[in-house]
Amino acid sequence: MHYYPPPCLWIVIPCYNEESVLPLTAPLFLSEIESLASSGIISSDSRICLVDDGSTDCTWRIISGLVESSSQFVGVALSRNYGHQNALLCGLMEAKSNCDIAISIDCDGQDDIHAIRKMIALFEEGSEIVYGVRSARTTDTWFKRMSAEMFYRAMNKLGANVIFNHADYRLLSKKALNELSKFDERNLFLRGLIPLIGLPSSTVDYERTERIAGKSHYPLKKMLHLAADGITSLSTKPIHFISIVGILFGCIGILGLIWTFVTFILGNSVTGWTSTLSAIFMLGGLQLLSLGIIGEYVGKLYLESKKRPRYIVKERKGELGNE
């Protein structure tokens, strides 16, 4: 069955220095949205929202050209680089008051755009959120596969409940978008926030292909930073872990103190250089690690308390379908 009238869809695509790939993928997105509209699956007022996250190349010039070439495109330029998650949130919030459903997707052409039809079908069956999940990682190197699996497993173990093998390819209904807008965090990790909405959800499996052009903007360093942001933004388990380890070492310290007094009283004490240094290095390293983890949380609280805007829109281009 189809909704009548068909739902208005906004495809939200964050872009950062994508001058090499955007001219290749933008026509694919346009072709897909026109095909969906001509089939009556979505409204003809549907749009493709390209969010320029403070690019330093010709990305905004390309987006401006796309907006001029077709009314299906909408362009949003941020005042500077705010990061992928903030740019994505900006696009979703732009879509919120103008669409019935929004689908976020990267502009590199790796995500299968034909899965959009399956997502819309599941929305019509009652899902307010539909997650795009990679069915395999055959295009990744062994190290990329291993690190990605470790990323998802570690996130879930440490309390940031994320959908396994899901990135940011997903459908959100208008209701889900309205609920998402109530989350006021400055340190965004949408993969962990959206499951917290709790509305009916489902998944769509798809195969991810090679990037059409350009280079990935998510090397290992950024993946580790994203993982740290996700864990510290959504979970306090690392703090609890520090407490447990502190109690454990405290008990060991008490036992060591008792052992020291007993050996001294019995006259068996021997000056130990190696054991002393080992204890100092071990405890010193543990203390620095603990302080570092606590510092991450303090830093997050510091940034959250300032209530700075998560993004600032410098310029908008294009026609909004519902206005």
Side-chain angles (χ1 to χ4, degrees), residues 26-170:
L28 300 178
F29 294 122
L30 180 60
S31 175
E32 184 66 17
I33 207 169
E34 287 177 340
S35 174
L36 291 167
S38 63
S39 301
I41 296 174
I42 62 173
S43 165
S44 58
D45 287 332
S46 299
R47 296 288 183 264
I48 302 166
C49 179
L50 301 166
V51 183
D52 179 25
D53 185 23
S55 298
T56 57
D57 61 3
C58 297
T59 297
W60 180 242
R61 190 183 306 166
I62 294 169
I63 291 173
S64 300
L66 291 168
V67 172
E68 291 174 4
S69 67
S70 171
S71 61
Q72 303 290 156
F73 286 106
V74 173
V76 178
L78 302 186
S79 60
R80 62 173 178 84
N81 178 239
Y82 287 89
H84 178 272
Q85 297 291 282
N86 289 292
L88 179 52
L89 180 70
C90 171
L92 293 173
M93 293 302 100
E94 292 284 318
K96 179 169 66 73
S97 57
N98 298 292
C99 73
D100 300 306
I101 51 176
I103 292 179
S104 58
I105 189 172
D106 290 336
C107 74
D108 54 18
Q110 290 188 275
D111 296 323
D112 181 13
I113 59 174
H114 300 301
I116 290 175
R117 291 174 181 262
K118 298 177 185 177
M119 290 182 174
I120 297 173
L122 288 170
F123 162 72
E124 292 178 337
E125 291 174 9
S127 293
E128 301 285 350
I129 304 170
V130 183
Y131 302 99
V133 176
R134 294 183 63 172
S135 57
R137 287 185 171 270
T138 53
T139 58
D140 291 344
T141 63
W142 172 84
F143 178 76
K144 178 68 175 176
R145 281 197 303 272
M146 181 192 68
S147 60
E149 288 186 9
M150 287 177 62
F151 168 80
Y152 286 107
R153 295 188 193 283
M155 293 291 289
N156 283 301
K157 286 286 185 183
L158 291 172
N161 295 320
V162 296
I163 306 299
F164 190 75
N165 271 343
H166 164 69
D168 287 301
Y169 188 18
R170 68 179 74 87

Side-chain angles (χ1 to χ4, degrees), residues 26-317:
L28 300 178
F29 294 122
L30 180 60
S31 175
E32 184 66 17
I33 207 169
E34 287 177 340
S35 174
L36 291 167
S38 63
S39 301
I41 296 174
I42 62 173
S43 165
S44 58
D45 287 332
S46 299
R47 296 288 183 264
I48 302 166
C49 179
L50 301 166
V51 183
D52 179 25
D53 185 23
S55 298
T56 57
D57 61 3
C58 297
T59 297
W60 180 242
R61 190 183 306 166
I62 294 169
I63 291 173
S64 300
L66 291 168
V67 172
E68 291 174 4
S69 67
S70 171
S71 61
Q72 303 290 156
F73 286 106
V74 173
V76 178
L78 302 186
S79 60
R80 62 173 178 84
N81 178 239
Y82 287 89
H84 178 272
Q85 297 291 282
N86 289 292
L88 179 52
L89 180 70
C90 171
L92 293 173
M93 293 302 100
E94 292 284 318
K96 179 169 66 73
S97 57
N98 298 292
C99 73
D100 300 306
I101 51 176
I103 292 179
S104 58
I105 189 172
D106 290 336
C107 74
D108 54 18
Q110 290 188 275
D111 296 323
D112 181 13
I113 59 174
H114 300 301
I116 290 175
R117 291 174 181 262
K118 298 177 185 177
M119 290 182 174
I120 297 173
L122 288 170
F123 162 72
E124 292 178 337
E125 291 174 9
S127 293
E128 301 285 350
I129 304 170
V130 183
Y131 302 99
V133 176
R134 294 183 63 172
S135 57
R137 287 185 171 270
T138 53
T139 58
D140 291 344
T141 63
W142 172 84
F143 178 76
K144 178 68 175 176
R145 281 197 303 272
M146 181 192 68
S147 60
E149 288 186 9
M150 287 177 62
F151 168 80
Y152 286 107
R153 295 188 193 283
M155 293 291 289
N156 283 301
K157 286 286 185 183
L158 291 172
N161 295 320
V162 296
I163 306 299
F164 190 75
N165 271 343
H166 164 69
D168 287 301
Y169 188 18
R170 68 179 74 87
L171 177 148
L172 295 172
S173 68
K174 191 180 190 71
K175 183 176 182 179
L177 288 170
N178 286 327
E179 296 305 321
L180 177 62
S181 68
K182 297 175 183 177
F183 289 82
D184 201 33
E185 284 95 332
R186 267 59 189 165
N187 299 282
L188 283 176
F189 184 67
L190 293 174
R191 299 181 203 182
L193 278 182
I194 288 173
L196 295 178
I197 295 173
L199 293 174
S201 64
S202 54
T203 61
V204 166
D205 292 336
Y206 72 96
E207 289 189 16
R208 204 162 192 253
T209 58
E210 296 281 355
R211 186 182 174 92
I212 292 179
K215 296 181 180 179
S216 172
H217 298 302
Y218 262 95
L220 179 61
K221 181 180 177 181
K222 280 196 173 182
M223 284 295 291
L224 292 173
H225 182 71
L226 183 67
D229 274 349
I231 293 166
T232 53
S233 298
L234 297 167
S235 172
T236 56
K237 279 193 176 181
I239 297 289
H240 297 316
F241 178 73
I242 290 173
S243 300
I244 292 170
V245 172
I247 292 170
L248 176 64
F249 274 87
C251 294
I252 293 172
I254 292 171
L255 293 175
L257 185 62
I258 294 171
W259 175 78
T260 302
F261 276 111
V262 170
T263 53
F264 177 76
I265 292 169
L266 296 176
N268 297 326
S269 59
V270 178
T271 304
W273 180 78
T274 303
S275 59
T276 302
L277 284 183
S278 297
I280 291 172
F281 288 146
M282 182 177 64
L283 292 173
L286 178 65
Q287 288 172 341
L288 289 173
L289 175 63
S290 301
L291 287 172
I293 294 173
I294 294 170
E296 283 288 325
Y297 281 91
V298 172
K300 290 285 191 298
L301 288 171
Y302 172 73
L303 293 174
E304 291 289 339
S305 68
K306 287 181 173 293
K307 300 291 183 183
R308 289 173 177 166
R310 290 175 289 193
Y311 55 83
I312 295 174
V313 176
K314 179 178 67 176
E315 188 177 355
R316 291 181 177 87
K317 287 191 175 184

